Amino acid sequence: MKGEHERELTFLHRRSYLGVVGMAAMGTTTVEAESGSDYKTVTVPVDQRKLIYVDDGETLENVLFDVTATDAGVSIIATGTDWTIRNVAVRGQVEIGDECVLCVADTGSGNSHIENVWIGDGARYEEKGGTGLWIAPEHDGHLEIERVNIQEMSDNGFYCSAPGTDGGGTVTLRNCYAANCWVSHYRIAEGIIENCVASVTDSRQYRKGRGVWAWEPGSVEVKGCHFHMNGHHYSFVAGANDSPSHITVADTQWDDGFHGGWSERHGSRIKFEDGNGNDPQNVIPEGCPASIVDVLPGEVGDISIRNQVSTGETVVVERAAHKPDDFVVVIHDESGDAIGHSDPIEGGETCENLTVALDPPLAESQTATAMLHYIDDENDFGESIRVNDEPIQNAASVTICTEDEPSVCGYTNEDNVVDTSGLRTAIDDWRNGDIDSSLLRNVIDYWRSRDPIEK
């Protein structure tokens, strides 16, 4: 993890640097919607990162950034004052190294706004990986952040602490959601966190960070929030870098399963006021988007399926949604044949962790494609749904396990080898009581041997 003062090259000085390393840039003003559409889709090519600049008084709105191509990413860089980012979504895991998706600051001592944003597919899983939202040290105004969903970042979800030792700007976060982010979910120097949620459901090392981490100077006011940490990390930590900060907590449900759930460091203070409890819920706050269909106007489709291990009888679709029509999720094998579909799903609803039965089952490991289809008159699936003449689909590698090693397969990489990441996950699962010591020993043996597991 980089310390505050190690980020000498902030985004305010990166334009020439990024040009040198060959990354692609776009213009600074509002991205216009496509003809016949209510929003603009920006598709990022393989091995590129789009750079979007927002300056004084400008608005970036109604844009979908598609980064599903290999090693594709996007960074939205907002500076100046009185700018707005709204109704923006990122589809696919972002490849941005240790950079940020939202790289922002109000540098004119004014007020800027970020609202209704989806970055829920996260960044590629790695140590010192992507940051969801980064506020630069030069921030000297006030930033209102409302209804923003950030997940699976391994260098902080909402990284708002840097101005505390430089610009002195403030921030208010309302109705935001953060999940499975390493280091911290809400990292802040001075401001308010209201009606927000942090949740840790992933036991991997770089997915389980603090709920709130308060940096100097404080104070940080937390009210009406839920910190659903599942015992993986503190709900609250005050103080960092040998300097104190202060947190007040009211009307908030928080998890106390990790060393009591809170920590005061370097002379910091956490004050618990009225209305608190220890029954946090993993819920998305009202108005915060649950998928891209909650962000963008008009017809929108969304589907996500990730690499997985299966017996071949089922696959799990991470997320599916479409508006305005009802739909089904259809699974296609590598030859393009439909081999399974879901029950009908209501238009506008976001369905998560959907298990789809396959008939016939997959007999060997291959790529499977999940696709949105309309429902026909017989309540079966009809034609594929197309938005802006493109099908709504996502592909993933499905690894078929043999019966003799079905559990160890869950800890292998794409080469069917138990690597260090898989070993760490197995150890976490053992500590959490999810697997027994016999299975853990088997995982350790495969990790030591580096032999691929036969499929």
Side-chain angles (χ1 to χ4, degrees):
M1 181 191 69
K2 291 181 178 176
E4 292 286 332
H5 303 295
E6 294 178 52
R7 288 189 174 229
E8 297 293 335
L9 186 66
T10 73
F11 70 82
L12 296 177
H13 311 294
R14 286 180 183 170
R15 295 193 186 195
S16 59
Y17 169 78
L18 292 172
V20 169
V21 296
M23 297 183 178
M26 290 186 58
T28 61
T29 56
T30 301
V31 180
E32 298 293 338
E34 296 168 343
S35 176
S37 174
D38 295 301
Y39 62 92
K40 171 75 174 181
T41 300
V42 177
T43 301
V44 184
V46 172
D47 292 330
Q48 289 197 34
R49 187 196 324 160
K50 288 290 187 184
L51 305 179
I52 312 299
Y53 295 108
V54 183
D55 293 323
D56 277 353
E58 293 181 343
T59 297
L60 176 72
E61 64 182 349
N62 300 335
V63 187
L64 170 63
F65 295 99
D66 190 322
V67 298
T68 53
T70 303
D71 292 339
V74 60
S75 290
I76 300 168
I77 302 171
T79 61
T81 191
D82 298 328
W83 50 260
T84 299
I85 298 170
R86 71 162 69 94
N87 300 346
V88 171
V90 179
R91 172 189 281 153
Q93 283 188 300
V94 181
E95 173 55 62
I96 53 176
D98 63 352
E99 302 295 339
C100 42
V101 180
L102 293 171
C103 319
V104 302
D106 188 301
T107 55
S109 301
N111 291 276
S112 295
H113 297 81
I114 301 174
E115 55 191 55
N116 204 34
V117 174
W118 162 265
I119 316 177
D121 286 332
R124 286 187 55 170
Y125 178 84
E126 58 185 75
E127 183 179 0
K128 297 182 180 177
T131 299
L133 181 147
W134 153 256
I135 301 180
E138 294 85 350
H139 174 62
D140 59 12
H142 182 71
L143 184 56
E144 294 277 343
I145 303 172
E146 299 188 48
R147 296 176 288 122
V148 176
N149 189 322
I150 296 176
Q151 300 182 43
E152 297 189 5
M153 296 289 170
S154 49
D155 190 4
N156 297 273
F158 294 84
Y159 196 146
C160 310
S161 58
T165 54
D166 196 341
T170 58
V171 61
T172 296
L173 298 112
R174 290 193 180 94
N175 302 312
C176 293
Y177 181 81
N180 299 319
C181 296
W182 174 236
V183 184
S184 59
H185 292 80
Y186 301 97
R187 176 168 169 166
I188 182 171
E190 184 176 2
I192 298 171
I193 304 173
E194 182 177 3
N195 196 36
C196 293
V197 175
S199 179
V200 179
T201 60
D202 190 330
S203 63
R204 291 178 293 177
Q205 176 64 35
Y206 297 104
R207 287 292 184 259
K208 48 184 185 180
R210 304 160 181 83
V212 174
W213 193 6
W215 282 58
E216 64 174 314
S219 61
V220 175
E221 183 180 354
V222 178
K223 52 185 178 182
C225 296
H226 286 258
F227 296 98
H228 180 258
M229 312 307 293
N230 281 313
H232 290 305
H233 218 312
Y234 292 109
S235 294
F236 312 103
V237 176
N241 275 9
D242 297 322
S243 297
S245 187
H246 306 286
I247 305 174
T248 60
V249 184
D251 299 319
T252 291
Q253 299 294 320
W254 55 280
D255 175 44
D256 61 356
F258 185 86
H259 301 296
W262 57 280
S263 176
E264 298 172 324
R265 301 173 180 176
H266 317 299
S268 300
R269 180 173 57 87
I270 300 176
K271 181 181 179 182
F272 293 94
E273 298 183 339
D274 294 336
N276 298 308
N278 300 121
D279 186 25
Q281 303 299 309
N282 182 15
V283 294
I284 296 177
E286 184 176 357
C288 186
S291 73
I292 67 173
V293 302
D294 297 325
V295 172
L296 302 168
E299 182 180 10
V300 188
D302 185 27
I303 193 162
S304 176
I305 181 173
R306 297 199 176 176
N307 296 345
Q308 57 194 272
V309 176
S310 170
T311 62
E313 298 176 344
T314 63
V315 294
V316 176
V317 176
E318 182 183 38
R319 187 180 64 256
H322 177 257
K323 70 175 182 182
D325 301 307
D326 295 350
F327 65 99
V328 295
V329 174
V330 180
I331 306 298
H332 299 261
D333 63 15
E334 285 186 339
S335 66
D337 293 334
I339 57 174
H341 65 86
S342 69
D343 292 332
I345 302 171
E346 184 177 351
E349 175 186 346
T350 297
C351 186
E352 296 183 332
N353 298 320
L354 175 68
T355 299
V356 180
L358 305 181
D359 185 16
L362 290 175
E364 58 185 23
S365 301
Q366 60 182 277
T367 298
T369 300
M371 184 180 297
L372 300 189
H373 284 246
Y374 291 109
I375 301 172
D376 66 13
D377 294 336
E378 298 180 356
N379 216 32
D380 203 343
F381 70 90
E383 296 294 321
S384 64
I385 296 174
R386 304 180 75 87
V387 177
N388 296 329
D389 203 33
E390 294 290 336
I392 307 302
Q393 62 184 23
N394 191 218
S397 173
V398 179
T399 300
I400 305 304
C401 263
T402 56
E403 290 300 325
D404 57 338
E405 292 285 4
S407 298
V408 175
C409 286
Y411 301 100
T412 59
N413 60 20
E414 59 187 11
D415 298 319
N416 301 334
V417 173
V418 176
D419 58 14
T420 300
S421 176
L423 174 63
R424 288 173 175 168
T425 301
I427 292 172
D428 286 341
D429 288 347
W430 173 73
R431 286 173 175 168
N432 296 333
D434 297 330
I435 64 173
D436 59 27
S437 57
S438 175
L439 175 55
L440 177 60
R441 284 193 293 271
N442 287 341
V443 173
I444 293 172
D445 288 342
Y446 273 103
W447 173 75
R448 286 172 173 166
S449 72
R450 292 297 196 270
D451 293 331
I453 298 174
E454 295 298 327
K455 308 295 183 184

